[in-house]
Amino acid sequence: MGLLSSDAASARFDRLRSGRLAAYVYARVGVEELLLGADWKTWMFMIDDQGDEGPLGRLPSRWREAMRPFDDVLGGNVAEPGHLPPVARALADLLERTCVGMPAAWSERLYKHTRDFLDSYQGEAERRARHEVPTIFEYLVHRRDSGAMHIVYDLAEALVHHAVPPDLYHSREFQDLELAACDIICWQNDLRSLPKELARRDVHNVVLVIQAGVGCSLPEAAARARDMTDARTAWYVQGRRQMEHILEASRLPADHQDRIRRVLGVYEDWMSGHYQWGKETGRYTDIVHTDPGVTPNYVEPLLNPGHPQH
């Protein structure tokens, strides 16, 4: 897909260990499904770097313009994918491969969550341009989208080849589980990536949002974020116990119940696997200190249609 062309970008990607993360979090699926999950994670990391460290992440009007090819992909308006920027062409490929065999309603949900993920960077660019720290209420909702957690949990269903029935998926009980699973990963990630945000003087981190809201020291804000993560994990454990009773009483066929348990197992693999990967990846230890608006040399102009291809 031409997502890497420079030596600096390739070296940075190798230290990221994206495939290692996929192996941890999608350990319950087959090889082909694992490869698809790894491709999705690679794409998400590429987008994240464009938004967080690329030049357009502080230029909201430019970011909005760069999103037009993605609008076309998500709207089904692409006649010739070869003319798309690399990351937009990669998204078209991912969506086509992922939606095979899945219900239309599930595919619509994946498309919506992908749109929400891309839109989250527009909001971040606007806040950076205004030098504005989000409120805790804004941030908690925003972080689920910017962390792409709704997408990775949608993928749990695609990779085990079973869509959670809509009435169960949209139930308060199931949504409580998914949102808790989203928050645990996002806050865990923020605690790990705090030095990177501080180096970039970026405010999009739960620790920094808590610090601004409470008016406390950075260590106290980090302690509060860890306590929130622990409490959210306890919430998930309790909700998962309740979900087991719901599944048993659902009258769903036994094999359907087992597949839903496998989906929830992926949620749990994400919690443990993401934590383990965080200790191995160079993403949060290879920190480049630059002024805001200055792009590190490993971030390539992937949103530019003229970006060189392999």
Side-chain angles (χ1 to χ4, degrees):
M1 289 294 164
L3 296 180
L4 295 169
S5 62
S6 73
D7 290 341
S10 296
R12 176 79 171 188
F13 181 76
D14 288 344
R15 294 192 298 272
L16 168 63
R17 306 194 80 182
S18 178
R20 185 78 165 178
L21 174 61
Y24 278 131
V25 302
Y26 295 126
R28 299 170 190 254
V29 304
V31 173
E32 290 303 316
E33 291 83 358
L34 174 59
L35 293 174
L36 177 59
D39 285 351
W40 267 102
K41 285 310 304 170
T42 295
W43 179 81
M44 292 168 186
F45 282 129
M46 295 294 181
I47 289 289
D48 192 56
D49 285 347
Q50 294 296 309
D52 287 353
E53 301 183 86
L56 304 188
R58 294 176 183 273
L59 301 169
S61 61
R62 292 276 305 281
W63 182 269
R64 188 179 299 110
E65 179 70 21
M67 288 299 100
R68 288 187 178 179
F70 297 91
D71 295 337
D72 291 339
V73 170
L74 292 168
N77 300 320
V78 178
E80 298 183 40
H83 294 303
L84 292 169
V87 279
R89 189 170 67 255
L91 176 60
D93 173 77
L94 289 169
L95 290 170
E96 180 180 1
R97 292 159 58 198
T98 306
C99 292
V100 173
M102 296 299 287
W106 180 91
S107 297
E108 290 172 6
R109 189 209 315 159
L110 175 63
Y111 272 63
K112 177 188 181 300
H113 287 156
T114 305
R115 178 76 270 168
D116 292 342
F117 169 63
L118 294 169
D119 285 347
S120 72
Y121 291 95
Q122 178 70 37
E124 290 191 356
E126 291 171 356
R127 279 189 290 273
R128 291 189 190 104
R130 297 193 300 263
H131 305 285
E132 175 183 286
V133 180
T135 69
I136 189 67
F137 304 111
E138 292 171 330
Y139 185 75
L140 296 184
V141 175
H142 162 83
R143 190 67 180 91
R144 295 163 188 158
D145 292 332
S146 69
M149 294 314 302
H150 293 302
I151 300 175
V152 300
Y153 292 145
D154 287 343
L155 286 177
E157 297 170 64
L159 300 185
V160 304
H161 304 288
H162 186 80
V164 175
D167 56 346
L168 176 60
Y169 178 82
H170 293 291
S171 70
R172 173 68 179 270
E173 291 75 16
F174 196 94
Q175 285 300 299
D176 281 349
L177 274 182
E178 189 194 33
L179 293 179
C182 288
D183 292 341
I184 291 163
I185 300 300
C186 290
W187 304 346
Q188 185 186 95
N189 183 271
D190 281 3
L191 283 161
R192 184 86 65 180
S193 69
L194 180 60
K196 183 180 176 184
E197 271 80 66
L198 290 172
R200 299 285 298 164
R201 284 182 265 174
D202 194 342
V203 299
H204 294 98
N205 184 294
V206 70
V207 176
L208 300 177
V209 171
I210 290 172
Q211 182 185 34
V214 176
C216 61
S217 68
L218 192 64
E220 181 183 342
R224 286 173 179 260
R226 285 192 292 270
D227 187 59
M228 285 171 57
T229 307
D230 290 344
R232 206 69 169 117
T233 304
W235 179 297
Y236 181 92
V237 170
Q238 182 177 359
R240 180 64 184 85
R241 188 179 302 120
Q242 178 184 9
M243 181 54 60
E244 189 60 32
H245 294 300
I246 291 172
L247 286 175
E248 291 176 357
S250 67
R251 299 185 182 178
L252 289 169
D255 62 326
H256 287 210
Q257 291 185 41
D258 287 343
R259 286 180 179 269
I260 293 168
R261 291 186 183 99
R262 285 183 64 196
V263 169
L264 293 172
V266 174
Y267 288 22
E268 290 140 26
D269 288 343
W270 259 97
M271 296 178 210
S272 59
H274 177 267
Y275 181 80
Q276 180 62 33
W277 168 80
K279 296 190 290 185
E280 302 175 10
T281 180
R283 186 167 180 80
Y284 308 120
T285 55
D286 297 345
I287 299 172
V288 176
H289 293 260
T290 61
D291 291 330
V294 177
T295 305
N297 68 342
Y298 56 80
V299 179
E300 300 184 284
L302 296 180
L303 298 176
N304 181 351
H307 181 68
Q309 308 297 305
H310 285 302

